[in-house]
């Protein structure tokens, strides 16, 4: 973000221009991953319309990629829906974490906002909301731009599925990890936050290697946040 | 599987994805939560980001890999430094992608 170098331009920037600037890393990440999803969905036997509909109706990157793998493996609809539920359950915590910032929003606004809450939009909004930036127009702008990039990537993948299959040579598959690094750095507000981050990352890795392929993120997040709460209570009691 | 069954499955996926996203924000936004709950929720962003990120860096192929061939891990170092020094999102993303592209060019 150029906000550090362009403080004056920021104030006069329109909400949608600001939304676009903030959503740019998400666009860079979503177009190639959406593209990969579009290609894979085609190879898994989904029709073009179903491929695009999943990006419009579900809008969940990792779950969609897992689902097309299951469709290709001829898994039952129940298995696919249940897997999607487990994979996306982490959004429950994200939604709860953002709730305290959205007191002034109406129910329809909240209902619409949560429809487009993904890992990436959540991470972006968590940083914005903590700074008091909860303007609905800019917030919805970011969400709609992000989903448009996802659906656009899907359509491109559909169109190109017979031509290109590999996005790796240009490093596009690193857009999202790089964005997570940037967002994580912005969230390290205290030593306690750093402790929680290190614990969550280590636990998640250990649990994944132990064979928890779907719920390691959820389990590690809950355990690490609870540890953070305990450590806070402990340091407070010692200093008082 | 026929396309109609696939479509119905997608509708099911939509429901189980939307409900966990919407329920907490709808139920909790108007409530004043106890202080420990707010503090706990304050740790969620950093915890969930690290929990998603670290496995993809240290075990991109689902097995621990600290060798020089693990491009994802080593590309994180310049990405981190650029982001830390410049506070630039796009700069970090471009650095990360560039390092991965270059690493693949020379290592594979």
């Amino acid at each position: 973000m150029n906000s550090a170098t362009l403080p004056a331009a920021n104030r006069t920037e329109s909400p949608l221009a600001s939304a676009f600037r903030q959503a740019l890393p998400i666009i860079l990440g979503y177009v190639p991953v959406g593209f990969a999803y579009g290609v894979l969905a085609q190879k898994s036997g989904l029709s073009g319309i179903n491929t695009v509909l999943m990006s419009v109706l579900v809008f969940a990157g990792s779950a969609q990629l897992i689902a097309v793998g299951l469709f290709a493996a001829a898994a039952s609809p129940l298995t696919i829906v249940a897997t999607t539920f487990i994979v996306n359950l982490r959004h429950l915590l994200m939604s709860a974490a953002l709730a305290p910032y959205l007191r002034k929003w109406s129910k329809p606004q909240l209902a619409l906002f949560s429809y487009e809450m993904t890992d990436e939009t959540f991470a972006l909004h968590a940083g914005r909301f903590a700074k008091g930036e909860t303007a609905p127009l800019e917030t919805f702008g970011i969400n709609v731009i992000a989903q448009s990039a996802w659906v656009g990537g899907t359509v491109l993948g559909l169109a190109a599925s017979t031509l290109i299959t590999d996005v790796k040579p240009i490093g596009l598959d690193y857009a999202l990890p790089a964005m997570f690094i940037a967002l994580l750095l912005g969230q390290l507000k205290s030593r306690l936050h750093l402790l929680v981050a290190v614990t969550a990352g280590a636990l998640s890795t250990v649990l994944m290697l132990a064979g928890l392929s779907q719920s390691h993120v959820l389990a590690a997040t809950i355990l690490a946040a609870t540890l953070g709460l305990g450590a806070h209570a402990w340091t407070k009691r010692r200093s008082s | 599987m026929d396309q109609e069954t696939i479509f119905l499955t997608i509708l099911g996926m939509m429901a189980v994805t939307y409900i966990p996203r919407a329920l907490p924000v709808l139920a909790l936004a108007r409530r004043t939560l106890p202080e420990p709950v707010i503090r706990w929720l304050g740790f969620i962003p950093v915890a969930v980001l690290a929990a998603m990120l670290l496995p993809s860096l240290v075990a991109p192929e689902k097995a621990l890999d600290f060798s020089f061939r693990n491009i994802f891990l080593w590309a994180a170092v310049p990405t981190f430094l650029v982001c830390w020094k410049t506070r630039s999102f796009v700069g970090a993303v471009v650095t990360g992608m560039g390092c991965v592209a270059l690493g693949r060019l020379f290592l594979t």
Side-chain angles (χ1 to χ4, degrees):
Chain A
M1 258 181 272
N2 292 326
S3 51
T5 48
L6 293 167
N10 246 357
R11 244 162 264 151
T12 51
E13 196 178 31
S14 79
L16 287 181
S18 169
F20 185 81
R21 180 173 50 77
Q22 294 182 67
L24 196 58
I26 301 185
I27 300 172
L28 286 176
Y30 273 6
V31 172
V33 182
F35 183 94
Y37 158 76
V39 172
L40 289 172
Q42 277 304 281
K43 301 195 184 299
S44 306
L46 271 74
S47 68
I49 188 86
N50 272 339
T51 301
V52 177
L53 272 176
M54 202 201 285
S55 285
V56 173
L57 299 175
V58 183
F59 187 30
S62 46
Q64 284 182 231
L65 284 165
I66 294 166
V68 290
L70 291 172
F71 276 119
S76 75
L78 188 66
T79 305
I80 297 172
V81 172
T83 305
T84 305
F85 178 67
I86 300 292
V87 171
N88 287 337
L89 203 56
R90 64 182 184 279
H91 295 139
L92 194 78
L93 294 173
M94 299 183 184
S95 175
L98 293 186
Y101 297 108
L102 300 174
R103 293 241 163 79
K104 291 181 181 150
W105 284 30
S106 67
K107 291 256 170 188
Q109 279 179 320
L110 292 170
L112 196 63
F113 170 74
S114 35
Y115 182 72
E116 287 174 311
M117 200 184 59
T118 62
D119 300 335
E120 292 77 19
T121 59
F122 159 78
L124 188 56
H125 292 317
R128 291 177 61 242
F129 291 176
K131 288 185 279 177
E133 297 170 15
T134 53
L137 183 59
E138 189 176 289
T139 305
F140 283 114
I142 288 170
N143 282 0
V144 171
I145 290 166
Q147 187 166 14
S148 303
W150 180 247
V151 175
T154 303
V155 173
L156 286 177
L158 260 182
S161 62
T162 50
L163 303 173
I164 323 159
T165 49
D166 201 2
V167 292
K168 283 187 171 181
I170 40 174
L172 279 173
D173 52 335
Y174 204 64
L176 291 182
M179 197 183 99
F180 283 151
I181 291 172
L183 292 168
L184 184 61
L185 205 55
Q187 286 284 337
L188 295 174
K189 298 169 225 168
S190 69
R191 273 192 203 167
L192 212 47
H193 283 82
L194 179 64
L195 171 79
V196 170
V198 171
T199 310
L203 269 175
S204 174
T205 307
V206 169
L207 291 174
M208 185 193 76
L209 294 173
L212 239 68
S213 60
Q214 316 292 359
S215 49
H216 60 287
V217 170
L218 190 66
T221 302
I222 292 173
L223 288 170
T226 308
L227 173 90
L229 193 64
H232 172 79
W234 187 68
T235 50
K236 211 168 75 176
R237 204 176 321 139
R238 264 176 38 129
S239 61
S240 63
Chain B
M1 209 183 292
D2 65 281
Q3 295 303 325
E4 200 183 315
T5 314
I6 292 177
F7 176 68
L8 292 174
T9 310
I10 291 172
L11 286 185
M13 291 173 66
M14 177 192 180
V16 298
T17 301
Y18 181 65
I19 291 167
R21 282 176 178 176
L23 262 188
V25 90
L26 285 170
L28 301 177
R30 295 295 161 80
R31 234 161 263 169
T32 319
L33 297 166
E35 200 267 344
V37 178
I38 301 249
R39 187 169 298 281
W40 188 79
L41 290 175
F43 288 126
I44 295 295
V46 73
V48 78
L49 278 168
M52 291 189 294
L53 175 68
L54 207 64
S56 73
L57 296 184
V58 299
E61 308 293 336
K62 311 293 174 207
L64 279 183
D65 182 3
F66 292 102
S67 75
F68 278 106
R69 303 202 68 80
N70 183 357
I71 302 165
F72 271 32
L73 180 61
W74 302 113
V77 178
T79 306
F80 177 87
L81 289 176
V82 165
C83 184
W84 189 39
K85 289 291 171 200
T86 66
R87 295 272 143 199
S88 163
F89 251 51
V90 177
V93 172
V94 170
T95 304
M97 284 169 32
C99 288
V100 168
L102 283 176
R104 285 194 177 125
L105 196 66
F106 291 115
L107 289 177
T108 54

